[in-house]
Amino acid sequence: MSRVRPFDSDGLWLKARLFINRALDDSTAFEEAAFWACCSLELLGKAALSRINPALIANPMDDGRSILIASGVIEDFDGFLSVQAKTVWARCSRSFRQFNADEAREISLGRNAYIHSASIGFDVLGPAEWWPRFWAQANVLIAHCDSTIEEFVGPTRAKTAESHLQTNRANLSRRLESQLDSARLRLRMHESGNMTGQMRREWSRFFLDYPSYTGEVDCPACGNVAKVGGEEVEERRLERFEFDDVALTLVVWTVYLGCEHCHLELVDVDLLDAAGIPSAFEVEGSGEDIADLYDSEYNNE
């Protein structure tokens, strides 16, 4: 009988389904349900990463053994070790733009306490707040497994999950409106000269720490020009390529918005999406970007 490969994406998906259905059983208390749901989320992340390349979930700290197993060089599956949850979150956030590593880390905070200590673990967020945030992250990974929530938990439980997603979207909308209102109020008080001493000090200390690449959009709070920024280049387009005339356009994922006029900052991709900020922007490549492109092409030869 053939053995299931420990990094197999389909196998990880099936195990994630098993765990989430344990979590959603009506007889399961919230703390235990959250524990199984966290285990399911980690397996979902590994399933999605492994679909890209099994080496993405292989532990790199065992002299390369797990990476070699994931690459098919070694067939001793018993020696395979996968990466920890924090690495899964980090790699998912870099691979899948809508996945929020900080959110995944926060909703999973109670897991270690639940199984390794005397504390309850999942007592920071109540079920009404925890489940919407869980499904927001799970939904991203399910999509990157080319599947649906209904295929993950079945039609009846999918309705519950969808209601949690609606709640999360409503929460996001409230968070966004609160930040926009706060920026508008701050600007009005600054322009009218009615800021308190503490507010004036905070206003004067405001500093935008721009990412490597920046573009411009209308600020969703005050309507002035705001900067959007990012570090990850989605696409490089060589517009002109002549002897001394080279033009390179970069398409960069948006992960940041900052406005020097009203001091609004948005650093959450979900909030940026809710504010209608484009998911990517174009910027002219610098001489260094053009040199990197040449080096990349040269190394591929």
Side-chain angles (χ1 to χ4, degrees):
M1 185 176 70
S2 62
R3 297 183 58 189
V4 175
R5 296 173 300 169
F7 48 79
D8 180 73
S9 179
D10 291 338
L12 291 163
W13 162 263
L14 290 173
K15 202 168 181 180
R17 285 185 60 194
L18 173 67
F19 286 179
I20 194 62
N21 280 290
R22 286 182 183 173
L24 299 180
D25 192 291
D26 291 339
S27 63
T28 306
F30 169 65
E31 293 78 14
E32 186 179 351
F35 167 75
W36 285 115
C38 284
C39 296
S40 177
L41 188 68
E42 182 178 341
L43 288 167
L44 266 180
K46 289 179 178 178
L49 290 172
S50 186
R51 286 173 68 86
I52 301 172
N53 191 320
L56 287 174
I57 65 168
N59 187 328
M61 307 300 289
D62 55 0
D63 297 330
R65 182 180 182 82
S66 295
I67 292 177
L68 291 171
I69 293 173
S71 302
V73 178
I74 299 175
E75 293 188 348
D76 178 16
F77 294 158
D78 290 333
F80 182 80
L81 296 174
S82 63
V83 293
Q84 296 181 346
K86 63 181 181 181
T87 305
V88 174
W89 309 147
R91 292 182 180 180
C92 284
S93 69
R94 295 185 72 85
S95 304
F96 317 128
R97 183 176 177 276
Q98 296 297 327
F99 187 83
N100 189 320
D102 291 336
E103 276 285 283
R105 195 176 299 114
E106 189 168 345
I107 63 176
S108 301
L109 277 178
R111 187 180 67 168
N112 288 341
Y114 185 72
I115 60 174
H116 293 303
S117 77
S119 67
I120 295 173
F122 296 98
D123 52 357
V124 177
L125 299 175
E129 185 179 359
W130 194 90
W131 282 111
R133 295 171 68 173
F134 167 83
W135 280 111
Q137 301 311 310
N139 194 34
V140 174
L141 300 178
I142 290 169
H144 282 282
C145 288
D146 288 335
S147 194
T148 64
I149 290 179
E150 186 169 325
E151 290 170 329
F152 189 49
V153 296
T156 302
R157 288 172 171 170
K159 293 177 182 176
T160 303
E162 292 290 352
S163 70
H164 286 310
L165 285 171
Q166 291 292 341
T167 301
N168 189 63
R169 281 189 275 271
N171 290 339
L172 268 177
S173 179
R174 282 193 290 271
R175 283 173 56 197
L176 174 64
E177 288 305 319
S178 296
Q179 288 192 238
L180 299 185
D181 286 346
S182 177
R184 292 171 186 137
L185 174 63
R186 194 165 49 231
L187 180 60
R188 282 200 304 273
M189 296 183 72
H190 172 69
E191 291 179 338
S192 64
N194 287 324
M195 277 186 160
T196 64
Q198 177 66 26
M199 291 183 75
R200 283 198 299 273
R201 285 191 291 274
E202 292 176 355
W203 182 273
S204 63
R205 286 198 300 263
F206 182 77
F207 172 75
L208 292 178
D209 187 13
Y210 293 118
S212 299
Y213 301 105
T214 60
E216 294 183 346
V217 297
D218 292 338
C219 175
C222 68
N224 282 274
V225 175
K227 293 288 182 67
V228 287
E231 303 284 354
E232 298 283 336
V233 177
E234 177 197 12
E235 181 184 355
R236 292 175 171 80
R237 292 201 299 262
L238 197 56
E239 308 289 358
R240 292 194 304 278
F241 181 59
E242 297 174 6
F243 178 70
D244 58 351
D245 184 14
V246 181
L248 177 67
T249 297
L250 307 178
V251 181
V252 182
W253 289 120
T254 308
V255 296
Y256 173 85
L257 180 142
C259 178
E260 292 186 344
H261 192 69
C262 67
H263 293 192
L264 172 71
E265 278 190 292
L266 299 176
V267 295
D268 185 316
V269 171
D270 292 331
L271 288 178
L272 288 166
D273 287 342
I277 304 302
S279 61
F281 61 93
E282 293 186 357
V283 61
E284 184 178 347
S286 65
E288 185 177 341
D289 294 313
I290 293 171
D292 288 343
L293 181 67
Y294 283 159
D295 289 343
S296 173
E297 290 183 347
Y298 176 78
N299 290 331
N300 285 335
E301 289 180 352

